Amino acid sequence: NVYHGKGSRPFKALEGFNNVDSKVLSGNYDGYVIGSEDEMGRMSETGESVTKVLIPGLPDESNGEYGARISSCFWQWKPKFNVHYEKSGAENVNSPPLLFLPGFGVGSFHYENQLKDLGREYRVWAIDFLGQGMSLPFEDPTSPSREEGITEGKDFLWGFGDKTEPWANGLVYSMDLWRDQVRHFVEEVIGEPVYIVGNSLGGFVALYFAACNPQLVKGVTLLNATPFWGFFPNPMKSPRLARIFSWSGTFPLPANVRKLTEFVWQKISDPESIADVLRQVYADHSINVDKVFSHILETTQHPAAAASFASIMFAPQGELSFREALSRCHMNNVPICLMYGKEDPWVKPVWGRQVKKQVPEAPYYEISPAGHCPHDEVPEVVNYLLRGWIKNLESEGAVGLPLLDDMEMESIQNNITRDLEFVREGSKKSVMVRFLGSKFSLWNLIKSSLKSRFGKLETKSS
């Protein structure tokens, strides 16, 4: 019996997930060990010795270190919707703002470690996309169905009615909707250009938003960004082709789609199915994912969740493909940083390296062991790299990129490996990070650094 209903602890599906010895996992990751304290001369895949770098851990409350306070907020953008977001670090008025976009099926809660840690230094926001997390409508987008059968006795399934409510006309949870949601959020809530960070689906949306609104973006960080989304053609980009499909994610759901949705939803919203997905995407099975599991399960119980899922799955593609969005960002000189978990079973490193080839000056950090959600699995590493990248941009190159800040000659190469060590809950952990640079990007870094330093000297002398 996996789930015992409300009021009990709904994590039975995860038994055995949190008790795996991390050293047992090392055999799957080319000899990289989590938590080993006695290996001093570790070798990279290329046979190089690996330099160890000690990085800060997360705030340790047991030692009197407290993370930034997180506030849960709502913002009304569309009728009948309260967009949920979380924020921290509001007092850091002179620091750059950071906005985190979640992957499919999760929400702002997935960035708790970024909000608590980075919020001590920056102003940080994380948002729930419309149709996901806590940004679901608070009314049924359709009038109740008179059909018997699928919806009989199932009035809790919003969106399965006969007729669209006026406020939901044209509503579809699509890439274009999320791009516009982010734009309005940045303009109306944050009020200035941001560093935007996205994982999985959120990575694609971040890139798409930046491509369409470069004036609102200081830089984009992609965390295992999915390189494609949507199965159906965009009506603006391919109007003739789009007309072939009679339905594309709007409300109400057609009768045949309702039946399919109910069948699929029963399968994927089952607690055991959710636990199976988490087992796939987290490379380190010693990570406690109870909070993530609980939040996902809670979302699936919302009456709008099933129809929202169907709308997302049948929504048209965005007006720009991932590659087109990347090209436009490149053309507009939007800085891009790439961080990819090596053991991701879905967005494998080959996808990140393809992005790197298209934007060769973008720093690329490959983290191992880490899966699809490196920000939650190894937040210490992601936060460290993100801080360093932002400081490099904010200083116009005077501060070197993470892992390259000493600017030694050894760093002037395409492939550098570092062993990042940090303390988590009293134990030392270790993660391998490979940096892929380019002579072009490093030369630009050197020129930028020299320009910045000479500029400061000229300012002082004058």
Side-chain angles (χ1 to χ4, degrees), residues 268-342:
I268 66 172
S269 63
D270 177 79
E272 182 60 39
S273 298
I274 297 171
D276 284 342
V277 170
L278 293 176
R279 290 189 190 99
Q280 289 179 40
V281 298
Y282 282 75
D284 180 0
H285 289 184
S286 68
I287 301 293
N288 188 325
V289 294
D290 280 5
K291 281 188 178 180
V292 176
F293 178 84
S294 177
H295 281 297
I296 294 173
L297 187 62
E298 183 180 2
T299 301
T300 65
Q301 295 169 347
H302 192 285
S308 298
F309 166 77
S311 176
I312 292 170
M313 290 295 98
F314 285 89
Q317 299 168 354
E319 293 181 38
L320 299 176
S321 68
F322 186 93
R323 178 173 285 274
E324 289 168 338
L326 188 61
S327 295
R328 189 174 292 187
C329 284
H330 193 202
M331 180 178 64
N332 289 320
N333 297 314
V334 175
I336 294 174
C337 183
L338 309 172
M339 301 182 197
Y340 282 70
K342 183 182 177 185

Side-chain angles (χ1 to χ4, degrees), residues 322-369:
F322 186 93
R323 178 173 285 274
E324 289 168 338
L326 188 61
S327 295
R328 189 174 292 187
C329 284
H330 193 202
M331 180 178 64
N332 289 320
N333 297 314
V334 175
I336 294 174
C337 183
L338 309 172
M339 301 182 197
Y340 282 70
K342 183 182 177 185
E343 284 72 36
D344 187 348
W346 297 345
V347 183
K348 295 182 180 293
V350 63
W351 293 107
R353 294 186 184 190
Q354 285 184 8
V355 177
K356 171 67 176 171
K357 287 180 181 178
Q358 191 174 347
V359 189
E361 66 272 21
Y364 174 92
Y365 297 96
E366 190 173 279
I367 308 167
S368 179

Side-chain angles (χ1 to χ4, degrees), residues 69-351:
R69 186 175 65 87
I70 301 174
S71 301
S72 179
C73 311
F74 288 92
W75 162 66
Q76 187 167 352
W77 175 47
K78 294 281 188 182
K80 309 300 181 182
F81 278 99
N82 281 330
V83 173
H84 177 257
Y85 67 95
E86 296 183 338
K87 66 177 182 178
S88 66
E91 66 279 7
N92 303 321
V93 293
N94 296 319
S95 67
L98 281 63
L99 175 61
F100 289 86
L101 305 183
F104 174 62
V106 290
S108 55
F109 64 83
H110 216 200
Y111 289 111
E112 180 181 355
N113 287 317
Q114 282 67 47
L115 288 156
K116 281 186 176 181
D117 184 16
L118 297 174
R120 297 183 296 173
E121 186 174 351
Y122 302 102
R123 290 170 292 150
V124 185
W125 288 263
I127 194 171
D128 291 5
F129 289 135
L130 286 185
Q132 299 197 98
M134 294 172 64
S135 293
L136 290 162
F138 51 78
E139 285 186 17
D140 191 338
T142 60
S143 56
S145 175
R146 293 186 296 273
E147 276 188 35
E148 295 184 1
I150 183 171
T151 58
E152 187 176 350
K154 299 183 183 296
D155 55 353
F156 59 91
L157 292 179
W158 292 359
F160 281 58
D162 292 323
K163 187 178 179 182
T164 309
E165 294 291 350
W167 63 268
N169 279 328
L171 175 65
V172 54
Y173 300 119
S174 66
M175 289 289 294
D176 290 334
L177 178 74
W178 296 326
R179 173 202 59 191
D180 294 344
Q181 177 190 354
V182 174
R183 176 174 65 84
H184 283 272
F185 185 83
V186 171
E187 291 176 338
E188 298 174 22
V189 178
I190 299 178
E192 62 182 284
V194 299
Y195 287 101
I196 191 162
V197 185
N199 171 234
S200 190
L201 167 63
F204 195 160
V205 177
L207 193 69
Y208 188 23
F209 160 72
C212 298
N213 305 277
Q215 76 283 2
L216 296 177
V217 178
K218 294 169 72 71
V220 178
T221 298
L222 302 181
L223 302 170
N224 290 73
T226 181
F228 42 80
W229 191 263
F231 300 103
F232 299 96
N234 184 281
M236 298 296 293
K237 189 175 183 179
S238 308
R240 292 183 180 179
L241 189 59
R243 281 196 291 268
I244 297 174
F245 301 94
S246 59
W247 184 71
S248 56
T250 53
F251 297 93
L253 276 60
N256 58 337
V257 176
R258 296 177 205 172
K259 295 176 182 178
L260 175 63
T261 299
E262 186 182 34
F263 173 77
V264 173
W265 189 247
Q266 285 177 347
K267 300 291 185 184
I268 66 172
S269 63
D270 177 79
E272 182 60 39
S273 298
I274 297 171
D276 284 342
V277 170
L278 293 176
R279 290 189 190 99
Q280 289 179 40
V281 298
Y282 282 75
D284 180 0
H285 289 184
S286 68
I287 301 293
N288 188 325
V289 294
D290 280 5
K291 281 188 178 180
V292 176
F293 178 84
S294 177
H295 281 297
I296 294 173
L297 187 62
E298 183 180 2
T299 301
T300 65
Q301 295 169 347
H302 192 285
S308 298
F309 166 77
S311 176
I312 292 170
M313 290 295 98
F314 285 89
Q317 299 168 354
E319 293 181 38
L320 299 176
S321 68
F322 186 93
R323 178 173 285 274
E324 289 168 338
L326 188 61
S327 295
R328 189 174 292 187
C329 284
H330 193 202
M331 180 178 64
N332 289 320
N333 297 314
V334 175
I336 294 174
C337 183
L338 309 172
M339 301 182 197
Y340 282 70
K342 183 182 177 185
E343 284 72 36
D344 187 348
W346 297 345
V347 183
K348 295 182 180 293
V350 63
W351 293 107

